[in-house]
Amino acid sequence: MKNFLTIIYVYYNTPKEILDSVDSLMTACIKNKYEIIIINNNSPKPLPAFARKHNITILDNKKNYGYGKAVNQGAKIANGKLLLVVNPDTIFQNYAIDLMVEKMNSDKKIGVLGPQLIDAHGKVLHSISSMPNLPDILFALSYINKIWPNNSYSRKYWALGIDRNREFESETVGGAVMLIRKNVFKKIEGFDERFFLYFEEADLCKRVTKAEYRVLYYPKAKVVHLVGKSTKDKKFIKQNYEKSRFLFLKKYYGFIPAILTETFLRLPTYIARKK
């Protein structure tokens, strides 16, 4: 019996990439039926006309609401029992989605499943990590990691030394492609919409685990991720990354630890500006 899933794209400034990604679905999902929902987050570059001529549901936002809120919009109207949350700058390899669905169905306790993400040359990307907890990120996300990259905290956070060609339970999986059970997504109330961009997948995975479901990294399914196609604005990226990191820390550790941690992590940038 075929499964029915909903594939949710959040579109922003990637007209060519979303065309290629949707095309790749035809050979990635053969055994299962699916619907496609595209949330257009007020993209300056218009959504390609093909999407409006095919059987694709499109939600046009009047402003950019961020990634998590856009996905939540799609999930509310999704008909599938499984949600495949996808960045437009991805290309699925043959049978990748079928393999993901098959694995998900093999264990009802798998709440989130992430494939192996590779670049355009086939190099495995670092799409998995441990949770951005304290004290780990004081080492892994600071200048300490640059001068002492092999410290135990960084190794734990970046999951260094782990064979990325074998499946294993991970604390987080990359948000570029995530297969999620709709009932689990609904149970944890979806993405926390306060995260505009970055750290939303870590927060979601943390709540999935708390709900006693597994987060699985599944490298048998492979997806090419063309990183950073939606924006090359480094200032925008940095600001949203830091804001979301602070929000994550505040949510799970409180305001004072979050402020102290962010001060420490941003100190080198502040010093550099003063010079």
Side-chain angles (χ1 to χ4, degrees):
M1 181 178 177
K2 290 186 176 182
N3 293 273
F4 187 71
L5 66 150
T6 300
I7 301 173
I8 301 175
Y9 284 96
V10 178
Y11 175 76
Y12 192 82
N13 277 359
T14 49
K16 180 184 182 302
E17 288 77 16
I18 199 167
L19 282 170
D20 293 339
S21 186
V22 170
D23 282 347
S24 73
L25 299 177
M26 295 184 66
T27 55
C29 193
I30 298 173
K31 298 179 181 179
N32 300 282
K33 294 182 179 181
Y34 60 88
E35 65 176 352
I36 301 173
I37 298 174
I38 299 176
I39 298 89
N40 179 9
N41 245 349
N42 196 33
S43 172
K45 293 182 180 179
L47 184 66
F50 89 95
R52 304 187 187 277
K53 294 179 181 178
H54 289 69
N55 190 24
I56 296 174
T57 301
I58 300 168
L59 300 180
D60 288 305
N61 286 332
K62 293 182 179 180
K63 61 180 290 186
N64 186 351
Y65 287 114
Y67 189 75
K69 183 171 182 176
V71 173
N72 288 348
Q73 287 178 290
K76 285 177 182 177
I77 62 170
N79 295 304
K81 290 185 177 181
L82 298 176
L83 306 176
L84 185 62
V85 180
V86 186
N87 282 10
D89 55 354
T90 53
I91 301 173
F92 291 84
Q93 295 202 343
N94 291 348
Y95 307 107
I97 297 174
D98 286 335
L99 289 168
M100 293 170 71
V101 171
E102 181 181 30
K103 186 64 182 180
M104 181 76 89
N105 287 338
S106 72
D107 184 350
K108 292 183 178 180
K109 294 305 293 182
I110 300 174
V112 173
L113 185 147
Q116 183 181 81
L117 299 182
I118 58 178
D119 68 14
H121 305 289
K123 182 181 178 181
V124 178
L125 298 172
H126 291 280
S127 61
I128 53 172
S129 69
S130 67
M131 203 57 63
N133 293 329
L134 293 173
D136 299 351
I137 64 170
L138 288 171
F139 292 81
L141 300 181
S142 74
Y143 62 90
I144 296 176
N145 187 67
K146 294 181 180 180
I147 61 176
W148 186 22
N150 206 36
N151 71 81
S152 60
Y153 295 103
S154 290
R155 291 186 63 81
K156 176 187 174 185
Y157 179 76
W158 296 113
L160 299 179
I162 292 178
D163 183 1
R164 283 173 163 74
N165 288 313
R166 68 173 181 84
E167 71 175 75
F168 59 87
E169 208 160 324
S170 178
E171 291 187 5
T172 69
V173 291
V177 182
M178 302 175 76
L179 184 64
I180 311 167
R181 293 187 188 277
K182 186 180 179 182
N183 66 323
V184 175
F185 191 81
K186 186 176 180 179
K187 182 177 182 179
I188 65 169
E189 300 181 337
F191 281 104
D192 185 334
E193 296 181 3
R194 292 175 295 176
F195 293 93
F196 183 86
L197 191 64
Y198 302 113
F199 290 91
E200 70 280 329
E201 73 268 43
D203 173 70
L204 181 130
C205 287
K206 191 175 184 74
R207 289 182 285 120
V208 166
T209 302
K210 189 176 181 180
E212 299 184 344
Y213 286 89
R214 300 172 62 204
V215 176
L216 189 72
Y217 169 71
Y218 190 57
K220 191 174 181 180
K222 302 180 188 300
V223 181
V224 176
H225 185 205
L226 307 171
V227 183
K229 292 293 183 177
S230 62
T231 180
K232 291 180 171 60
D233 188 337
K234 293 182 179 179
K235 184 178 180 181
F236 174 85
I237 292 170
K238 188 174 187 296
Q239 286 177 341
N240 279 281
Y241 183 86
E242 291 176 343
K243 182 179 179 180
S244 292
R245 183 176 63 195
F246 172 75
L247 176 59
F248 185 92
L249 292 168
K250 180 184 174 184
K251 182 174 181 177
Y252 293 105
Y253 291 97
F255 181 75
I256 298 302
I259 282 288
L260 293 174
T261 301
E262 276 300 311
T263 300
F264 176 78
L265 294 175
R266 300 186 194 189
L267 189 59
T269 301
Y270 177 78
I271 293 173
R273 286 175 181 171
K274 290 295 182 180
K275 289 183 178 179

